[in-house]
């Protein structure tokens, strides 16, 4: 962990009586966590796409979905690799990830969306689950929290 990161402010953001704390840094934040220590492998219960949020059921990985109430309270991770049903998926629960196709706004809070996608809309499904925040347009720091029923 790099403790020399300059933090300008801690802002409290209110939305429908739910609160989230976010940090605003003076410059793009360096990698805070070596994700290799958080990498795990698990068998896919369906075809899994890389760069999607996943959850477990029956010991297998599936795309997590905020519209499926059974996914509330289950462990959620982020697939680093794709796999067909029965293949092994590399995933993490925490750390920095990057995808050149993302177009997030820096400091934007991100939530579990539909079919494993991340979204900036906390009210998309039947529950709200914060999953991290955007460092840049294409870099996200994952810090998956517990979900709340909407």
């Amino acid at each position: 962990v790099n403790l020399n990161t300059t933090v300008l402010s801690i802002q409290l953001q209110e939305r429908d009586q739910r609160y989230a704390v976010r940090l605003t840094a003076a410059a793009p934040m360096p990698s805070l966590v070596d994700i290799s220590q958080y990498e795990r492998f698990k068998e896919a219960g369906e075809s899994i796409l890389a760069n999607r949020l996943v959850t477990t059921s029956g010991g297998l990985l599936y795309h997590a979905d905020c519209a499926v109430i059974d996914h509330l309270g289950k462990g959620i991770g982020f697939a680093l690799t794709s796999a067909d049903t029965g293949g092994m998926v590399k995933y993490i629960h925490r750390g920095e990830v990057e995808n050149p196709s993302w177009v997030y706004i820096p400091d934007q809070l991100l939530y579990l969306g539909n079919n494993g996608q991340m979204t900036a809309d906390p009210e998309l499904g039947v529950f709200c689950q914060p999953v991290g925040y955007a460092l840049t347009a294409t870099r996200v720091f994952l810090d998956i929290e517990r979900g709340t029923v909407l």
Side-chain angles (χ1 to χ4, degrees):
V1 175
N2 181 351
L3 298 178
N4 295 323
T5 301
T6 303
V7 176
L8 294 178
S9 66
I10 296 178
Q11 300 172 345
L12 196 59
Q13 193 176 44
E14 180 178 352
R15 183 177 171 110
D16 298 329
Q17 301 176 359
R18 287 191 300 269
Y19 298 91
V21 176
R22 72 176 180 191
L23 300 177
T24 304
M29 295 179 71
S31 180
L32 298 175
V33 177
D34 174 12
I35 67 167
S36 64
Q37 65 183 321
Y38 295 103
E39 291 176 355
R40 303 288 183 263
F41 292 86
K42 193 170 282 282
E43 184 179 345
E46 68 179 346
S47 184
I48 299 290
L49 298 173
N51 297 312
R52 297 281 178 107
L53 295 162
V54 292
T55 189
T56 59
S57 181
L60 303 173
L61 282 181
Y62 296 89
H63 287 125
D65 197 310
C66 65
V68 179
I69 195 67
D70 288 343
H71 291 180
L72 175 64
K74 293 201 174 176
I76 301 239
F78 182 83
L80 297 172
T81 60
S82 298
D84 292 328
T85 303
M88 295 304 284
V89 177
K90 184 191 320 185
Y91 69 102
I92 59 171
H93 291 286
R94 182 163 201 226
E96 188 178 306
V97 292
E98 188 166 16
N99 182 335
S101 69
W102 288 336
V103 288
Y104 295 120
I105 298 168
D107 299 322
Q108 185 174 42
L109 296 174
L110 300 171
Y111 304 88
L112 171 63
N114 297 115
N115 197 30
Q117 298 280 358
M118 285 188 280
T119 180
D121 184 357
E123 298 180 2
L124 188 61
V126 294
F127 67 93
C128 171
Q129 182 152 5
V131 296
Y133 60 92
L135 297 170
T136 68
T138 60
R139 258 177 36 190
V140 167
F141 186 79
L142 295 171
D143 188 13
I144 299 168
E145 301 175 25
R146 291 184 171 263
T148 305
V149 174
L150 296 176

